[in-house]
Amino acid sequence: MNSHGQNEQQVVWTVVGTDIGPLLLAATHDGLVNVVFHATDAVRDKALDRLASRLGSEPAEAPDSPLLAEPICQVTAYFAGERRDFELPLDWSLISGFNRQVLRELASGVPYGAVVGYGDLAGRVGQPGAAQAVGVAMGSNPLPVVVPCHRVVERDGGIGGFGGGLETKRKLLALEGVLPEPLF
């Protein structure tokens, strides 16, 4: 335990270049704990401070850590079009309650190349009137791309919002064949 009475756990991180920009990947012994879009220095530093506060341990940059080897490999393969499903241990400690329930359903029940509506996803977790709450859960997803919140869209065919930006969401959906590739 640290001086705040929290259990400390090792947190390692690295930044991986992708077609949607740099992604910060952070892992603990339990699994991948955080994926952060647009991991410029300022975004990265803010994310690492948040992780340290939430997990009680200062994250260590460790691109060669065995804890990150498989996440790096699978994320790289996904963006190369060589992987459709992530098979990684996930550390869900940054999210709880309804949001965790929704994200677990999303991770297991909405495959590559498919989309689901906010309301449909709410219904899958037994809360058919909770479409807006599903939107909140998507916005708080600590594991975007791996837990595919980009696959959640509006009922009327709109693509909805996205914490990584709409252009990033479009690129991810195009990669998965849901949308056409941008012309330029």
Side-chain angles (χ1 to χ4, degrees):
M1 287 201 176
N2 66 14
S3 60
H4 302 293
Q6 297 170 306
N7 287 323
E8 285 195 29
Q9 62 177 317
Q10 180 186 16
V11 183
V12 293
W13 66 274
T14 193
V15 174
V16 176
T18 73
D19 293 346
I20 59 168
L23 289 179
L24 181 142
L25 304 178
T28 67
H29 287 290
D30 292 332
L32 189 65
V33 70
N34 204 198
V35 176
V36 178
F37 289 117
H38 315 299
T40 60
D41 290 349
V43 169
R44 180 199 66 213
D45 291 348
K46 185 176 178 182
L48 294 173
D49 286 346
R50 195 170 49 248
L51 276 172
S53 172
R54 297 279 310 275
L55 298 177
S57 176
E58 196 65 39
E61 184 174 14
D64 297 326
S65 170
L67 299 176
L68 290 168
E70 196 58 27
I72 292 167
C73 180
Q74 289 190 28
V75 165
T76 301
Y78 170 81
F79 282 102
E82 300 165 357
R83 173 172 281 281
R84 292 177 167 232
D85 301 307
F86 291 98
E87 297 171 8
L88 296 169
L90 301 177
D91 178 339
W92 294 95
S93 63
L94 295 178
I95 196 150
S96 61
F98 176 79
N99 292 355
R100 182 188 288 190
Q101 181 183 9
V102 168
L103 291 171
R104 282 181 176 266
E105 174 59 31
L106 175 63
S108 65
V110 183
Y112 183 97
V115 294
V116 65
Y118 292 92
D120 294 334
L121 190 54
R124 289 186 187 192
V125 297
Q127 300 291 329
Q132 286 185 317
V134 166
V136 171
M138 296 306 105
S140 64
N141 181 3
L143 296 161
V145 179
V146 176
V147 176
C149 52
H150 60 276
R151 296 180 190 156
V152 183
V153 297
E154 295 175 346
R155 177 181 56 213
D156 65 4
I159 69 168
F162 195 62
L166 291 181
E167 186 58 30
T168 299
K169 186 170 186 172
R170 284 186 190 96
K171 286 180 180 180
L172 290 167
L173 291 172
L175 173 68
E176 295 187 8
V178 175
L179 292 177
E181 290 287 339
L183 296 175
F184 39 83

